[in-house]
Structure formats: structure tokens, C-alpha cells
Amino acid sequence: MAKKDIDWANLGFGYLKTDKRYVSNFKDGAWDDGAMIADDQITISECACVLQYAQTIFEGLKAYTTEDGRVVCFRPDLNADRMIDSAKRLEMPPFPKERFLEAVAQTVKENMDYVPPFGSGATLYIRPYMFGSNAVIGVKPAEEYQFRVFTTPVGPYFKGGVKPITIRVCDFDRAAPHGTGHIKAGLNYAMSLHAIVDAHNQGYDENMYLDAATRTKVEETGGANFLFVTKDNKIVTPKSNSILPSITRRSLMTVAKDYLGLEVEEREVFFDEISDFVECGLCGTAAVISPVGCVNDHGREIKFVNGCDEMGPVITKLRETLTGIQMGHLEAPEGWIMEIKP
Ligand code: PLP
Ligand code: COI
């Protein structure tokens, strides 16, 4: 086996086709055995439920090369659980947890040559997803589904890597109370496309969404949860039923408490109080923890004093500790790492 000839250090967050993908079909009330295939194209009915009514969900996780050359995934069991929650909410048949883990492991294993080397700054992004595949014209769930997993090597989600980004308070909503914001449904991302294009056109890197009901509380961005740092080094993260329960954010809360001895608070965060925080970060699989330097609220700039121009000290420590665990030079809590043998 030889690693592919890829300029790992200069990869952005984009799609690059790899050799193999996993596919399993659901028909007549059961999932088939599943298989690894080479074909990256999908042929489905013009009237497939996914095409007409957006019945699709997905997950995102990564495979890392550790310093001693192993390939590992970070907490894939939580992705399996979250995908089951997403499936239930969209009336789709959950893909069994054990099979999800096997499918992820098999897909990484058969694309080992695309797992970026240790120290390259890149990782192998893994995308499990599922969609309603048979023709449906009345509004109802499909009866047939496809579950797939593909991989693609990626670099940093935000251009510039770890430079603090500037975001704006968004006038569009991402998720309704009692809606689908807490699951990973493709429809949530379709909702955010106009907002992100508009943000980019205005010169911002991302949107800060507020709660749709009162527009007074901080929710999340289009693809990551928020973490804030107080003057006395406490970590504060928004609690809401309409944000995605980020695995990275939940892990960082443990890292903050158990590795760094910091106090952590998960609670409602009012937009009015964010100028009291000294650092801000966006956390997610793709974002890792990316620093936010400034939030623009309709022309008023709120700058995080310890993290405007460079990543602040607490976010830096959190990032180093989390990536240390993921890359294998810090001991992980029990069950956080799944090794994939070649
Ligand atoms: N919030 C949204 C809307 C996301 O799309 C993601 C990405 O998965 C996250 C948060 C971060 O979640 P995780 O840390 O599980 O990747
Ligand atoms: C991830 O972090 O894995 C995501 O799915 C976010 C997505 C917006 C790229």
C-alpha cells in the first residue's frame, strides 16, 4: 500500500473522490447485507422522496493518523446514535449501531491510502448518509432507503486555518422551536444556503443564528456549536433544543473539566451578554475549534478581547488537548477512540 500522491498540506474542505464506498439498501422492511462498491454514481427515480421532499440525513466524522502511525476514529458510536435519532425524526428506518460502526471501519480501511499522514494538517472526512429512494408523490415517507458511507481527505473548514474569523448576526432563522434543528437533516442545511451565500457576499465567514422564537438567545452557526470563555476562564456553551448536539462540543466540555480543570456551564446564552466574553470558538468535526474574533451585529462590532487577531489562550489549550487526544499523544477517556486496522 502506498499513500496517494496528494498535496495534503494544501487541502481545503472539499470533495475528492476516493476508491470505495459502502452501500446498503432497505426494502420490504429490512436492510440488506451491504457491500463495498467502486461506483460513486447513484441512479434513483425522478420522484424519489429525497428529491421531492428532502428525506435525507447525514453524519460527519473523521479518521486521523496518530503519531505512532495508527488510524483511528473519534467517538463514532455517538455519530451512530445521533443518526438513529435523525432517522426516527424523519420517519426513516434507523441503521443499526453495530452495522454503522462496521460500515465506517470498512470504508476507512478500503480507502487507507487516502488517510492523510500524521502532521500534515489534513484528515479523512467520513460522510455516512441515508435517503428515501423510491418514488413518492403524496407527502409521506419512502418505503425504500439507501444508507451509504463515503470518505474524502480534507483540510481546514475555514480558509486560513486557525486565524480568528468574523461572523455576523443572521436575520434568517435556521431552526424552529420543536422543529428539526437538533437532528442532522439535509433540510436544515438547505435552509442555511441563502444565508451563508449572503454572509459571504457581505464579507463574513459564517452566520450566528439566534433562537427563532425570541431572537434574544445565541443558537449556533450553520455547521458548528459555540463555546465562549468568560474573564475568569469559565467555559459557557448555549443550551437549546433546536441546536445540533455537537459531539466535538460535548467532548470539549469533558476536556475542559477533566483535562484542564476549567468550570463549564451549559445554559441559555443571551446575545446581550456576549460582549462580556473574552474568547469565542466554533466547534464541530469540520471546524474542530475555530476561533471567532468578531461578531458583527448590523454594523456594531463585538470583539473578543483575548482572541481578536490570534486564537486566544483558552481556545488554544482546548484545541491542543482535543487534537492531542485525537492524534494519540494524549490518553483518551475510555471508549473515545476506535482503531481501524489495515
Ligand atoms: N452544528 C451543526 C449545525 C453541524 O452541522 C455540526 C456538524 O456536524 C455541528 C454543530 C458539530 O457537530 P459535531 O461536533 O458532532 O461534528
Ligand atoms: C461536520 O462538522 O461534520 C459537519 O457536518 C458540518 C458541515 C457543515 C460540514
Side-chain angles (χ1 to χ4, degrees):
M1 271 205 325
K3 288 280 174 208
K4 297 286 171 184
D5 185 18
I6 292 171
D7 183 7
W8 308 105
N10 289 311
L11 281 175
F13 194 86
Y15 172 75
L16 193 135
K17 187 178 132 187
T18 56
D19 294 342
K20 294 288 177 63
R21 63 273 305 124
Y22 177 88
V23 54
S24 177
N25 289 297
F26 182 91
K27 198 174 173 176
D28 299 328
W31 288 105
D32 69 11
D33 289 344
M36 295 301 303
I37 60 167
D39 191 0
D40 63 318
Q41 302 292 310
I42 300 175
T43 304
I44 47 173
S45 164
E46 62 187 356
C47 198
C49 198
V50 58
L51 299 179
Q52 303 308 323
Y53 303 126
Q55 196 187 21
T56 179
I57 55 175
F58 70 100
E59 272 305 321
L61 67 160
K62 284 173 171 173
Y64 308 83
T65 305
T66 61
E67 202 160 6
D68 59 359
R70 292 173 300 127
V71 171
V72 299
C73 284
F74 184 69
R75 309 191 79 181
D77 53 317
L78 298 187
N79 295 96
D81 290 340
R82 193 168 62 189
M83 195 158 184
I84 290 170
D85 292 341
S86 299
K88 288 180 181 161
R89 181 63 176 76
L90 291 198
E91 291 294 333
M92 303 167 93
F95 196 70
K97 182 167 180 172
E98 283 314 310
R99 291 201 52 198
F100 177 102
L101 296 172
E102 280 162 25
V104 164
Q106 193 66 20
T107 312
V108 173
K109 191 170 154 176
E110 299 208 17
N111 293 293
M112 267 310 183
D113 299 348
Y114 292 93
V115 184
F118 174 78
S120 65
T123 50
L124 188 73
Y125 187 70
I126 307 163
R127 175 54 64 87
Y129 61 114
M130 189 202 289
F131 53 88
S133 53
N134 68 297
V136 163
I137 193 76
V139 178
K140 62 174 187 178
E143 282 155 2
E144 295 175 15
Y145 293 86
Q146 203 163 91
F147 169 86
R148 299 174 75 107
V149 185
F150 70 75
T151 58
T152 180
V154 294
Y157 191 65
F158 294 107
K159 277 200 266 340
V162 293
K163 269 272 174 228
I165 59 169
T166 297
I167 66 175
R168 65 151 189 200
V169 176
C170 187
D171 290 332
F172 301 101
D173 294 325
R174 172 183 176 274
H178 313 293
T180 55
H182 61 301
I183 59 157
K184 218 160 159 58
L187 62 94
N188 294 335
Y189 299 81
M191 294 268 293
S192 73
L193 294 176
H194 175 62
I196 193 66
V197 169
D198 190 53
H200 288 163
N201 286 342
Q202 312 278 337
Y204 302 107
D205 298 293
E206 252 295 357
N207 286 299
M208 171 183 271
Y209 289 103
L210 302 180
D211 74 297
T214 70
R215 304 193 63 79
T216 58
K217 288 174 268 186
V218 176
E219 294 255 294
E220 59 176 330
T221 67
N225 284 179
F226 281 105
L227 277 187
F228 298 98
V229 181
T230 67
K231 284 189 208 56
D232 46 3
N233 285 354
K234 194 193 289 173
I235 307 296
V236 178
T237 184
K239 187 182 173 89
S240 158
N241 292 332
S242 46
I243 65 176
L244 193 77
S246 159
I247 294 163
T248 314
R249 190 251 305 154
R250 286 181 271 161
S251 305
L252 283 165
M253 289 164 72
T254 302
V255 164
K257 272 187 278 195
D258 297 352
Y259 286 68
L260 304 177
L262 300 174
E263 210 180 310
V264 176
E265 249 181 32
E266 186 182 5
R267 61 162 170 87
E268 288 185 332
V269 173
F270 286 88
F271 180 69
D272 280 352
E273 63 177 307
I274 70 166
S275 51
D276 295 340
F277 296 126
V278 296
E279 290 180 59
C280 172
L282 298 181
C283 45
T285 298
V288 191
I289 179 162
S290 300
V292 176
C294 178
V295 179
N296 192 299
D297 174 24
H298 304 90
R300 181 171 70 102
E301 288 197 327
I302 299 156
K303 294 196 165 157
F304 296 103
V305 291
N306 289 357
C308 270
D309 304 318
E310 297 295 335
M311 196 187 303
V314 176
I315 302 261
T316 302
K317 205 80 201 123
L318 282 169
R319 187 183 170 101
E320 281 172 3
T321 312
L322 180 71
T323 53
I325 292 169
Q326 292 168 333
M327 304 287 174
H329 36 267
L330 288 176
E331 194 169 338
E334 170 102 33
W336 278 24
I337 298 295
M338 176 174 87
E339 185 172 346
I340 294 160
K341 305 261 189 211

